[in-house]
Amino acid sequence: MKLKEFIVKSKRRLWAYWYNARRNSVKIDARTVIFFTFQGKFTCNPKYICRRLHEMAPDAKCVWVTLDGDREGFPEYADTVLFGSPDYYKALYGAKVLVDNSFNFVKQPFVKKKGQYYIETMHGSLGIKRIDASSNTNAKRNRIGARCGELSDYIISNSDFETDVYKSSFWEKTPVLMYGHARNDILINGRDDFPDGDIYSKVRSFYGLPKDAKLALYAPTFAREASKEFEEFDAGLLRECLTDRFGGEWFILKRLHPRDAGSHTVSTDCGFILDGNRYTDIQELMVAIDFAVTDYSSWIFDYVVTKKPGMIYAPDLEEYQNSTGFYYPITATPFPIATDNSSVSELIREFDMDKYVEEVGRFLEGKGCVDDGKASERAALLVLDLLNDKLPDA
């Protein structure tokens, strides 16, 4: 660990213990909600809950946690605090409701006060990767996951499958609310479900593309150390195959996992590859794209509700299955699976859209998915009720 990083982490921990000991001296504000995403940005479920909350109750105070102090992307009505700073702990212990999308508030020692409510939303849907402690060797991660489960008053699910995952991992005793995921509302409601208008055009304008440009998103999960080399994904071949199968001028958005984006960059020298990390909200990208590719990242299990085409590129499938494990066979998803670039070419050129849409419908029904485009409204109403100490029927 570098000296600067060590000093920052040490300061955060000292402030955590200082404010934990004095937490009751900070008065809870009955109109304040604090939001925290693992990305440290205005995104994921908390974004869409916050946006709807502000529409319903403009007097509610929305405070957001950043990891770097950057306010870019946050609306004017949202206050921001830097994680681990004195302002962060004052806001944390002064908030009535906490809204999380991972194990964020428990990254540092935290003792929830009487009168506070902790809502966990997580950041996956119908995901195939296991999250329970028995499948993960990271003791620290499992410890804070268990702590999150202890402190969560409610966790929001979008399916029978996901509810079972929560109950078998860290939220065995936490009430589960089958509201659907707020971040998926725009995937169901369509491209116009945005305060500034058409998301499809907004994304193309952001990247300086023609209005009729076709977009594919390639966004793998975080990089991991493999025991052998695997074939790198060929974005040029993907573009060629998509052009042959669907027509149009295609551009490829390559988006690195947040854990990798800080230490790696996306090369855009060829002109048709675009840096997908420049755009904060992957949900909006999902609305704007015409084709999706990942390996095992959970975002594609949000995207599936759009019924737009997508596939999985997993050259390390056997090794990944043996090391991480899945909740269900990856072959049970609607997505065609390629294990090398030659099979990418074959699967795209033979892509049967009608068959794919039918399989998506069966998949969503089989998992008991309840996403209907109204999840953000339900979650915002929950927050408003909790601000008034009105508890929902769980």
Side-chain angles (χ1 to χ4, degrees), residues 4-285:
K4 183 178 180 180
E5 183 182 356
F6 175 78
I7 292 172
V8 169
K9 288 187 174 182
S10 297
K11 282 185 176 180
R12 286 176 179 171
R13 186 159 288 267
L14 286 172
W15 283 124
Y17 285 122
W18 175 270
Y19 278 97
N20 283 350
R22 293 158 179 79
R23 60 187 179 276
N24 290 325
S25 65
V26 181
K27 185 179 179 180
I28 294 176
D29 182 346
R31 300 303 291 171
T32 296
V33 185
I34 187 168
F35 299 87
F36 198 170
T37 67
F38 76 87
Q39 300 94 332
K41 302 293 184 183
F42 189 64
T43 190
C44 199
N45 287 309
K47 167 183 175 175
Y48 294 95
I49 296 171
C50 178
R51 199 178 83 179
R52 189 54 58 90
L53 174 66
H54 181 68
E55 292 171 358
M56 292 179 169
D59 64 317
K61 183 178 180 181
C62 300
V63 180
W64 277 77
V65 184
T66 75
L67 299 179
D68 55 11
D70 187 357
R71 272 199 58 89
E72 184 179 0
F74 289 96
E76 290 183 1
Y77 61 80
D79 293 337
T80 56
V81 291
L82 179 64
F83 175 58
S85 68
D87 286 342
Y88 165 74
Y89 288 105
K90 292 174 185 176
L92 176 61
Y93 284 119
K96 180 75 172 180
V97 178
L98 289 64
V99 181
D100 201 346
N101 83 332
S102 189
F103 312 143
N104 295 309
F105 289 113
V106 292
K107 287 179 180 177
Q108 294 291 340
F110 166 59
V111 182
K112 189 176 65 175
K113 292 164 57 174
K114 183 179 179 180
Q116 289 187 308
Y117 299 98
Y118 191 153
I119 303 172
E120 181 58 71
T121 70
M122 289 303 284
H123 54 274
S125 294
L126 313 169
I128 198 168
K129 293 184 294 184
R130 299 189 69 90
I131 65 170
D132 54 285
S134 63
S135 63
N136 196 300
T137 59
N138 187 324
K140 181 180 179 181
R141 175 261 186 194
N142 292 335
R143 187 168 59 252
I144 64 174
R147 181 63 175 158
C148 182
E150 291 172 5
L151 296 181
S152 298
D153 292 288
Y154 304 99
I155 185 165
I156 295 176
S157 171
N158 83 327
S159 61
D160 294 330
F161 165 78
E162 194 168 71
T163 296
D164 290 341
V165 168
Y166 292 156
K167 290 297 185 182
S168 64
S169 54
F170 301 111
W171 296 273
E172 180 182 359
K173 299 179 181 179
T174 305
V176 179
L177 302 176
M178 290 277 283
Y179 286 177
H181 287 316
R183 66 175 183 271
N184 287 350
D185 286 355
I186 62 169
L187 303 182
I188 294 168
N189 296 336
R191 49 195 277 182
D192 295 324
D193 185 21
F194 190 78
D196 297 333
D198 180 4
I199 299 173
Y200 191 89
S201 299
K202 178 191 174 193
V203 170
R204 280 156 180 77
S205 175
F206 179 87
Y207 284 102
L209 301 176
K211 291 183 178 180
D212 60 350
K214 296 290 187 179
L215 281 174
L217 174 62
Y218 172 58
T221 191
F222 60 87
R224 58 208 169 276
E225 189 173 340
S227 62
K228 60 181 180 180
E229 292 291 323
F230 294 98
E231 188 174 42
E232 186 175 349
F233 184 71
D234 189 338
L237 177 63
L238 173 67
R239 184 182 190 231
E240 178 185 325
C241 295
L242 290 173
T243 301
D244 290 346
R245 172 63 181 82
F246 298 105
E249 183 181 10
W250 284 83
F251 294 84
I252 312 300
L253 285 161
K254 183 175 180 181
R255 184 180 176 93
L256 303 177
H257 190 277
R259 285 171 57 173
D260 300 319
S263 55
H264 297 78
T265 57
V266 174
S267 175
T268 58
D269 293 343
C270 66
F272 65 84
I273 294 180
L274 309 172
D275 184 356
N277 293 93
R278 286 181 54 213
Y279 203 94
T280 301
D281 193 339
I282 193 172
Q283 305 302 120
E284 291 186 20
L285 291 182

